[in-house]
Amino acid sequence: MNAAVVYSVRHRTAHRYGVPVTSGHSVLRLLPRDTPWQRVLDRAVVVEPDPAHRAAHVAAFGNLVRYVAVERPHHVLDVGATSTGEVRAPGTAATGPPWEAVAASLTTPGPDAPAALAAVELRFPSPLVPAPPELAEYARPAFGPGDPVGAATRD
């Protein structure tokens, strides 16, 4: 049995300004999202002073984003977020298709094209985080011929 663990998380940020701010716009990424192994039971964001405008959307990777605009003079912006969630281990590592098939799907779209397209953007090098050749050498033993892709994530 894969028992769930319940977490309660609280976050608070207080911005204190030296002079009154007459208008402030903030983008908040503070709330967890549901995943196959995580179920959010409760989540909330509180902003003081009370925002004149609020908006919310789900970002490209499924993360919850909140926009708030406080349009009256204030010396402090206080942002609090609370959430409670149930988390289970993602499952056994010996699952999934062979890693070679997953790698190939990132260059040749097949029947799972939407999932592959979502992952393709993650395979490009980052201009801010170099990937030295030693990194590939370090990972190579985790990717045996025909091994399920999940096995490499646990190695």
Side-chain angles (χ1 to χ4, degrees):
M1 172 85 181
N2 188 0
V5 176
V6 175
Y7 291 94
S8 292
V9 179
R10 290 187 307 174
H11 170 89
R12 181 173 178 251
T13 299
H15 297 279
R16 298 182 195 325
Y17 308 109
V19 297
V21 172
T22 57
S23 179
H25 301 255
S26 300
V27 177
L28 313 173
R29 292 176 174 87
L30 298 170
L31 300 175
R33 61 187 170 120
D34 288 310
T35 67
W37 58 88
Q38 173 176 287
R39 185 169 63 104
V40 179
L41 304 172
D42 185 46
R43 60 182 154 227
V45 172
V46 176
V47 178
E48 290 293 330
D50 194 35
H53 303 283
R54 296 174 186 261
H57 72 275
V58 177
F61 296 110
N63 295 309
L64 306 175
V65 180
R66 302 291 187 264
Y67 163 81
V68 296
V70 176
E71 297 183 343
R72 65 177 195 226
H74 57 284
H75 285 280
V76 177
L77 177 67
D78 201 341
V79 178
T82 58
S83 58
T84 303
E86 182 179 82
V87 179
R88 295 180 185 278
T92 178
T95 60
W99 71 267
E100 299 94 337
V102 173
S105 75
L106 298 178
T107 57
T108 309
D112 292 331
L117 289 175
V120 161
E121 120 178 60
L122 302 174
R123 69 182 282 265
F124 295 108
S126 166
L128 302 176
V129 181
E134 297 85 11
L135 190 58
E137 284 303 313
Y138 173 79
R140 196 169 322 283
F143 294 90
D147 282 352
V149 69
T153 65
R154 299 284 188 164
D155 205 5

